[in-house]
Amino acid sequence: MISTTAAGDAVRARPDSERRRRARAALHDLLPQLSREAVAALGAVEAAGFLARTERWYADAHLPLDALYGAVADPGGLTARLVRAALAAAAARPQALRELDRRREVDGDWFQDPRTVGYVAYTDRFAGTLRGIRTRLDHLSDLGVRYLHLMPLLKPRDGENDGGYAWIHRRYAPVGAGRDTRMPF
């Protein structure tokens, strides 16, 4: 039996071309069923866009999962789970935001427009909680803010840390509980 460490080393030693081949094969296997699911969830037009984005970006999700977990898990299955989670989120997205998404796809550098104002805030200092942010959105809108970047919502580990950016710790900071983090603004 190969140890997990040795198997992991073997997976990481695969040439990039082999990882890309595995990603293409996994995508090829996923697309027929995903296409049916996407049309059912989004309708034909939105599904076409979703599937095009999936094909374009699939390898960017699959390749790191293969490198990290290929020795102990199926990276194609993990990537399929991520894609299906994105499909569920797309299906739940309000129509007004879907329309905004389409406009932003056409104007890919919308966030670089000099007239665009963004705002960065620590949730706890700006509004106390994630739910509190909702009470401040009108104020930000009055200021002309078009996008809001919330600083880390994860509790940093004790000692030296990254300020809460590392998602692997999965401990929410006191700014909100699990359901709060899913609240649409």
Side-chain angles (χ1 to χ4, degrees):
M1 180 174 161
I2 297 176
S3 75
T4 303
T5 303
D9 290 344
V11 167
R12 283 186 290 282
R14 285 185 187 138
D16 195 48
S17 60
E18 172 62 16
R19 282 201 196 105
R20 290 192 180 285
R21 186 200 61 73
R22 289 167 50 94
R24 282 191 304 274
L27 177 61
H28 179 268
D29 292 344
L30 175 64
L31 277 177
Q33 179 63 33
L34 182 65
S35 297
R36 290 187 289 277
E37 293 170 19
V39 168
L42 302 172
V45 173
E46 287 285 323
F50 179 85
L51 293 167
R53 288 186 298 278
T54 299
E55 289 181 51
R56 168 65 179 90
W57 299 108
Y58 186 86
D60 285 1
H62 188 279
L63 295 174
L65 291 173
D66 190 6
L68 290 170
Y69 303 110
V72 295
D74 169 27
L78 293 172
T79 310
R81 286 176 52 196
L82 288 173
V83 169
R84 285 188 168 102
L87 175 58
R93 198 156 169 80
Q95 185 62 34
L97 292 179
R98 288 183 190 197
E99 291 169 8
L100 179 61
D101 294 341
R102 298 302 75 78
R103 285 193 303 276
R104 287 183 174 167
E105 284 176 349
V106 172
D107 183 18
D109 60 353
W110 62 269
F111 57 93
Q112 294 177 334
D113 184 322
R115 296 166 296 175
T116 298
V117 176
Y119 193 83
V120 178
Y122 285 94
T123 303
D124 57 340
R125 294 180 183 166
F126 179 66
T129 66
L130 284 173
R131 292 200 185 280
I133 293 223
R134 184 175 257 169
T135 66
R136 309 271 177 123
L137 293 179
D138 287 341
H139 172 68
L140 293 176
S141 181
D142 291 345
L143 293 173
V145 172
R146 290 187 56 200
Y147 66 91
L148 174 62
H149 175 89
L150 298 176
M151 296 301 282
L153 301 173
L154 300 174
K155 180 179 179 180
R157 65 179 176 262
D158 294 333
E160 289 189 37
N161 65 70
D162 59 5
Y165 281 96
W167 60 269
I168 198 163
H169 302 296
R170 296 183 186 192
R171 290 178 295 190
Y172 293 103
V175 299
R179 289 194 76 87
D180 253 2
T181 60
R182 297 179 188 176
M183 182 186 79
F185 296 107

